Amino acid sequence: MQFKRILAISICLTTFYCSIYAQETEPIENLITDRPDQTESAVTVPKNHVQIETGAAYQDYGNDTFREQSFTYNTTLLRYGILNTMELRLGWSFTEIETEINQTKTANVLSGFSPLSIGAKIEISEESTWKPKIALLTNLYLPFSASTDYKPETTGVDLFMLFAHTLNESSNLSYNLGASWGNDSPEAIYKYTLSYGHSLTDAIGFYAEVYGQLPEKNKASHFWDAGFTYLITSTIQLDATVGTSFTKGQNLLLSGGISIRLPN
């Protein structure tokens, strides 16, 4: 509980600071984030800028016989533009998972930090007519940085190609294709995402998305989610999401968060 209070205070102080500072600083371009959907944008953070994207999420899995509830109190991603077309990334999350058997909670609660992710996103080509904007994203997941309940023995890795199309002045289509290796398994998990975004006003955006994963030796899982974004200032954005799965597994996903670009 102490960690949750510290996290909440830190987010509030950061938001307050940036709200004041953003009123005095002109952004070099529009704020584009990698949350709240599963689809990563094909755009990198501007050079020499830091972007903080964080939030909380609740997920419910299973049925009355066996059920898991996951509470992620932070999903923090730090993005730094090292070049005009390249960013470095650090990600870390703190999660608690509660288990119910026959609608009775068990004493076994998993709690702690996930492996720290370190990665990079590189823009490869710009959009032109029918050709999408293309970028490459890769991450490593470091076992030594994880809490005991979530510590794997081997390093995880993922690799994604990111694509984006501008449909018109207010709509866009983005999609990712890639694969992940982790959780001490040599099995590749192939993943896809497809997200439609629409600007309702200058400040309010809407998105709807389908995504999924196809393990080499297990059944595929397919999901959907949808949500809204709200641009408080040109450098601060709030978001909210709801979703579930098409296939058996996830019953409910709820999340909310904030993204902030720190002035240079």
Side-chain angles (χ1 to χ4, degrees):
M1 295 299 295
Q2 184 67 22
F3 170 81
K4 300 173 193 176
R5 287 194 289 268
I6 293 173
L7 175 64
I9 293 171
S10 299
I11 292 175
C12 289
L13 290 176
T14 304
T15 305
F16 175 72
Y17 163 79
C18 292
S19 297
I20 296 174
Y21 207 111
Q23 297 173 10
E24 304 174 358
T25 307
E26 288 297 325
I28 62 174
E29 59 184 67
N30 293 334
L31 181 67
I32 298 177
T33 66
D34 280 350
R35 62 167 300 123
D37 56 5
Q38 302 296 316
T39 303
E40 308 281 8
S41 72
V43 178
T44 57
V45 171
K47 184 179 178 180
N48 296 330
H49 282 67
V50 175
Q51 200 156 295
I52 304 170
E53 304 181 10
T54 189
Y58 166 80
Q59 297 183 75
D60 180 282
Y61 293 90
N63 50 46
D64 290 342
T65 302
F66 182 85
R67 181 185 180 192
E68 284 187 345
Q69 296 183 79
S70 171
F71 303 86
T72 302
Y73 298 106
N74 80 301
T75 56
T76 301
L77 174 64
L78 302 180
R79 305 168 60 193
Y80 175 69
I82 190 172
L83 298 172
N84 291 328
T85 57
M86 180 179 180
E87 69 177 44
L88 300 180
R89 303 159 63 91
L90 287 174
W92 219 6
S93 62
F94 184 92
T95 301
E96 288 185 355
I97 298 179
E98 298 179 353
T99 303
E100 292 183 6
I101 298 177
N102 295 324
Q103 299 184 333
T104 301
K105 286 188 177 182
T106 67
N108 182 29
V109 177
L110 302 179
S111 179
F113 285 98
S114 64
L116 177 72
S117 68
I118 178 170
K121 183 194 292 186
I122 303 171
E123 295 183 19
I124 297 175
S125 64
E126 293 297 324
E127 182 177 7
S128 64
T129 58
W130 58 270
K131 188 179 75 172
K133 183 177 180 66
I134 303 174
L136 173 70
L137 173 64
T138 186
N139 292 295
L140 295 177
Y141 298 89
L142 309 178
F144 65 83
S145 62
S147 301
T148 302
D149 286 342
Y150 299 109
K151 182 178 292 186
E153 294 183 1
T154 57
T155 300
V157 61
D158 57 35
L159 181 66
F160 289 91
M161 296 299 298
L162 318 177
F163 306 91
H165 291 273
T166 300
L167 302 179
N168 52 51
E169 291 184 357
S170 58
S171 301
N172 62 82
L173 189 69
S174 300
Y175 49 98
N176 299 167
L177 296 171
S180 297
W181 295 262
N183 296 320
D184 297 327
S185 172
E187 178 184 8
I189 300 177
Y190 300 102
K191 297 181 178 181
Y192 72 89
T193 72
L194 176 63
S195 179
Y196 169 77
H198 182 76
S199 298
L200 301 176
T201 69
D202 289 341
I204 301 174
F206 168 80
Y207 85 91
E209 175 186 50
V210 293
Y211 61 101
Q213 51 187 30
L214 298 85
E216 288 181 318
K217 299 179 181 178
N218 291 289
K219 291 183 179 180
S221 300
H222 304 282
F223 308 83
W224 69 266
D225 58 23
F228 292 91
T229 59
Y230 177 67
L231 204 62
I232 299 177
T233 72
S234 55
T235 56
I236 303 176
Q237 178 178 279
L238 300 178
D239 62 68
T241 293
V242 62
T244 187
S245 62
F246 294 108
T247 51
K248 289 184 179 180
Q250 185 187 76
N251 301 316
L252 178 65
L253 163 68
L254 297 172
S255 75
I258 182 171
S259 300
I260 302 168
R261 180 188 294 163
L262 298 180
N264 185 15

